[in-house]
Amino acid sequence: MTPKKFAYFAPASLKEAIQLLRVNEDAKVLAGGQSLIALMKLRLAAPAALVDITKTGDLLSYIREGKGHLEVGALTTHDTLERSKIINKKFPILSDAASKIGDQQIRNRGTIGGSCCHADPAADLPTALTALESEFVVRGVKGKRVIPQSKFFVDTFTTSIAKDEILTEIQIPHTPPKSGSAYIKHSRREGDFAIVGVGAVVTVGPKKVCRDVRVSLGAVASTPIRAKSAERHLKGKTLDEGNIAEAAERANEEADPPSDMHGSRQYRLDMIKVFARRALNLALSRAR
Ligand SMILES: Cc1cc2nc3c(=O)[nH]c(=O)nc-3n(C[C@H](O)[C@H](O)[C@H](O)COP(=O)(O)OP(=O)(O)OC[C@H]3O[C@@H](n4cnc5c(N)ncnc54)[C@H](O)[C@@H]3O)c2cc1C
């Protein structure tokens, strides 16, 4: 199918892009187009106008150090994230997630900002960013605001960004020394969307005690969620096989997965435990 007719704007600045979003009824931001154009071709989305932010003079593709966090520009592609030395070193959970998205063509064009704004609960980067307690910088007519991860993803395909706001940057707080992170995706075939995705961030304290832990889950609720019960179980305990296995057993307590052609609700609940254990072990091995 071909998309319905739409107007196309390629503004020269973010300011102009925000104005275009404000004055054009039913306009949408176009980033990598890997979700939006696919939906338009299927006529599941029919925006009256597209505001292409890839051609503005404001460069939104970067990975740089900020104050206490790493800053990632919204137009940074999945491929750039996967290959970035700084991401691989500091937040391998993000390179794990980016490397598992679709195929190489999608990773060349798709952006971290697009993936977050699309807010598919099965998407890989939003789940990884949830374990990292990231913050989202958006710009609109009234200026800039920073949205914490817990308030950013609102529902399936819904975020708290207003219609005339643009996500410009994702801020990832640095983790203490002896921290490790990992994302593991369970899908039927390489490149498919997750049946279950699990992110883990572990910080090891003296005597192998778990100083901090965060576990995030994708594809098992209407937004990415934290497995708080698993986290509570592990925090303050020795990071040994037994405690990790016990925490993984509890990882599905907050999940409310759907049943669909890719897997039943019960299958997903079972797989959360398996992949939580693997993600925690991989994160721990990286922390060491
Ligand atoms: C065949 C196929 C397989 C895929 N497999 C996976 C997978 O396994 N895992 C996975 O996570 N994803 C997968 N994807 C989705 C892919 O990751 C997309 O790149 C991503 O979802 C959207 O990024 P984009 O830059 O292409 O955004 P676009 O498609 O351009 O935009 C997506 C949405 O976000 C909005 N938007 C984009 N950028 C901004 C911004 N900066 N500010 C405000 N709004 C914005 C748009 O208006 C639109 O509503 C797949 C896609 C395809 C087509």
Side-chain angles (χ1 to χ4, degrees):
M1 270 210 269
T2 52
K4 277 196 172 171
K5 261 195 169 173
F6 59 90
Y8 172 81
F9 299 101
S13 67
L14 272 184
K15 206 171 163 200
E16 198 187 322
I18 291 162
Q19 277 306 326
L20 284 164
L21 289 171
R22 202 174 68 81
V23 297
N24 283 281
E25 197 53 37
D26 198 24
K28 268 195 162 292
V29 170
L30 176 67
Q34 297 304 296
S35 293
L36 183 54
I37 300 294
L39 288 178
M40 288 169 68
K41 282 184 164 176
L42 292 167
R43 299 212 173 184
L44 293 171
L50 291 187
V51 178
D52 187 345
I53 57 166
T54 64
K55 301 197 165 45
T56 69
D58 309 79
L59 295 177
L60 291 183
S61 173
Y62 54 81
I63 298 168
R64 65 188 183 206
E65 284 295 344
K67 279 191 186 155
H69 57 246
L70 196 72
E71 298 174 345
V72 181
L75 288 180
T76 306
T77 63
H78 310 324
D79 181 69
T80 304
L81 280 177
E82 180 187 348
R83 292 170 194 277
S84 156
K85 280 199 182 122
I86 185 164
I87 293 283
N88 272 287
K89 187 165 171 238
K90 297 198 167 173
F91 301 111
I93 183 174
L94 283 182
S95 17
D96 290 345
S99 69
K100 299 284 176 229
I101 295 174
D103 54 34
Q104 187 60 52
Q105 284 96 324
I106 289 161
R107 295 196 290 273
N108 286 344
R109 303 277 312 177
T111 66
I112 186 169
S115 181
C116 293
C117 293
H118 187 53
D120 185 330
D124 300 299
L125 286 170
T127 304
L129 290 166
T130 295
L132 291 167
E133 293 187 332
S134 308
E135 298 197 308
F136 297 81
V137 181
V138 300
R139 271 177 62 182
V141 188
K142 290 183 195 145
K144 185 177 118 172
R145 67 186 177 111
V146 181
I147 309 173
Q149 183 280 326
S150 56
K151 298 222 160 67
F152 185 82
F153 299 106
V154 173
D155 205 344
T156 304
F157 301 125
T158 309
T159 69
S160 52
I161 301 188
K163 179 198 161 310
D164 55 0
E165 284 181 323
I166 294 175
L167 174 65
T168 57
E169 183 177 282
I170 292 126
Q171 299 181 339
I172 305 160
H174 283 306
T175 46
K178 293 216 168 180
S179 295
S181 65
Y183 174 81
I184 302 195
K185 170 178 181 171
H186 175 42
S187 58
R188 233 184 96 219
R189 297 170 309 182
E190 186 73 24
D192 280 358
F193 272 93
I195 295 173
V196 167
V198 183
V201 182
V202 179
T203 305
V204 187
K207 296 186 181 164
K208 266 183 71 180
V209 165
C210 175
R211 197 174 136 196
D212 196 14
V213 59
R214 287 174 245 143
V215 179
S216 62
L217 308 173
V220 297
S222 60
T223 63
I225 57 167
R226 289 271 291 277
K228 293 274 186 185
S229 176
E231 294 175 2
R232 272 195 304 275
H233 180 77
L234 208 50
K235 206 168 167 181
K237 294 211 174 73
T238 311
L239 284 157
D240 57 25
E241 262 303 314
N243 282 330
I244 288 178
E246 184 54 39
E249 278 299 305
R250 294 165 192 232
N252 67 7
E253 285 182 14
E254 291 85 357
D256 183 18
S259 279
D260 61 23
M261 60 191 281
H262 303 296
S264 66
R265 175 183 170 86
Q266 190 55 50
Y267 177 69
R268 283 187 160 97
L269 287 169
D270 292 342
M271 287 305 104
I272 291 171
K273 299 179 184 179
V274 175
F275 285 87
R277 186 173 175 165
R278 291 184 193 172
L280 281 165
N281 276 317
L282 183 56
L284 177 60
S285 70
R286 288 172 173 170
R288 284 175 186 148

